[in-house]
Amino acid sequence: MDPAGMRRREFLVAAAGIVVAGCTRSPAGRSAVAASSASPAAAPAAGAVPSSSAPPTAGTPQEVLARSTVPVLCFHQLREFRSDDSAYARTMITPPAQFTAQLQALRDGGYTPVTADALVDHLQFGTALPPQPVLLSFDDGSATHHAVALPVLSRFGFPAIFFPMTVVLNKPNWLSDDQLRDLDRAGMTIGAHTWDHQRLDRLPAGQWSTEVDQPKAQLAELLGHPVDLMAYPYGVWSQEALAHVSAAGYRAAFQLSDVQDPAQPLLTIRRIMPPPTWDGAALLSHLHADF
């Protein structure tokens, strides 16, 4: 087996255990579920004069940065702790009851989850958002995103965006194609998270198509519509990565907590990861402090 093949096999073996750490730095929508989504415009009546309204004007990078105050939360696996979970893994495994409590805290605190497209429209064009908006995101493609997240989100009427790795689709304990379509039909947004979770700040030159272009095309074919948002594995990026992400046709991309790139802030949107130890008060406090 060639080195790339060995690496992919090793990845899948490791993924069968804990991979939640893979979306973080190492230690040292479109349906009625989202009240914030735009409703389809009514077809113009016969003979109606077309609107002369100009298309929205994209903001400058400085204007996008000034609008980048909307909290974005990043979750990973949603399940009970197991005896073999490391202390580090437990910072990113959210038990279902705690996940529900955190979403309840958002609702009780007056926050309104919005779709990823609504957030990007706001950042890029300055379109309005509801009071106290927040975006919910889920990385990697754990099967718990369908089994746990979807029912809770549907119960609250909250939209979210899911970023699965394409290498794990249809593997045990990971999302299947059908489950990904279920999320899409339920009004959730699907974005890319590379093929097999390589760090894009140190990716060999010959792997950009595999990690950045092909997942976008695969997800679009699976869902039947374009996919133009992505999240960086480990939350890390580089100037070279930004160039490839832009060239692949992604509209926006999400990192973790680094300062946004001043020239391309839409490709470096910030997120934070709420650990399961945060109760409602702690979560709301961090939303205020970190954004």
Side-chain angles (χ1 to χ4, degrees), residues 14 18 30-31 54 57 59 72 135 139 206 218 233 242 254 260-261:
I18 290 290
R30 291 171 311 283
S31 84
T57 301
V72 184
L135 176 64
D139 283 9
Q218 180 180 340
L242 297 187
F254 295 78
Q260 287 174 267
D261 183 78

Side-chain angles (χ1 to χ4, degrees), residues 109-171:
Y111 280 89
T112 303
V114 297
T115 66
D117 285 334
L119 173 60
V120 176
D121 282 346
H122 170 73
L123 296 177
Q124 186 173 17
F125 302 116
T127 54
L129 290 176
Q132 293 184 256
V134 62
L135 176 64
L136 308 176
S137 67
F138 299 81
D139 283 9
D140 293 347
S142 167
T144 63
H145 296 170
H146 185 272
V148 178
L150 180 58
V152 177
L153 291 167
S154 298
R155 183 175 121 201
F156 282 99
F158 288 172
I161 183 167
F162 293 81
F163 295 109
M165 301 173 282
T166 47
V167 71
V168 300
L169 294 179
N170 302 305
K171 303 293 192 299

Side-chain angles (χ1 to χ4, degrees), residues 229-232 245 250-255 265-270:
L229 303 175
M230 73 163 289
Y232 301 101
V245 169
Y250 289 97
R251 181 186 182 201
F254 295 78
Q255 53 149 335
L266 277 179
L267 295 184
T268 51
I269 300 171
R270 294 177 55 247

Side-chain angles (χ1 to χ4, degrees), residues 114-244:
V114 297
T115 66
D117 285 334
L119 173 60
V120 176
D121 282 346
H122 170 73
L123 296 177
Q124 186 173 17
F125 302 116
T127 54
L129 290 176
Q132 293 184 256
V134 62
L135 176 64
L136 308 176
S137 67
F138 299 81
D139 283 9
D140 293 347
S142 167
T144 63
H145 296 170
H146 185 272
V148 178
L150 180 58
V152 177
L153 291 167
S154 298
R155 183 175 121 201
F156 282 99
F158 288 172
I161 183 167
F162 293 81
F163 295 109
M165 301 173 282
T166 47
V167 71
V168 300
L169 294 179
N170 302 305
K171 303 293 192 299
N173 301 316
W174 300 95
L175 290 171
S176 68
D177 289 353
D178 286 341
Q179 289 171 336
L180 206 58
R181 293 188 189 98
D182 279 348
L183 291 168
D184 183 68
R185 284 191 292 264
M188 307 302 161
T189 305
I190 308 301
H193 198 42
T194 74
W195 182 62
D196 65 349
H197 214 278
Q198 297 297 303
R199 284 183 58 133
L200 297 189
D201 62 334
R202 56 179 68 167
L203 192 68
Q207 295 184 23
W208 287 106
S209 178
T210 298
E211 298 295 339
V212 175
D213 298 79
Q214 292 178 22
K216 183 177 187 294
Q218 180 180 340
L219 291 171
E221 181 177 5
L222 190 157
L223 299 172
H225 60 73
V227 169
D228 59 5
L229 303 175
M230 73 163 289
Y232 301 101
Y234 304 95
V236 297
W237 51 277
S238 65
Q239 290 299 318
E240 183 181 14
L242 297 187
H244 284 280

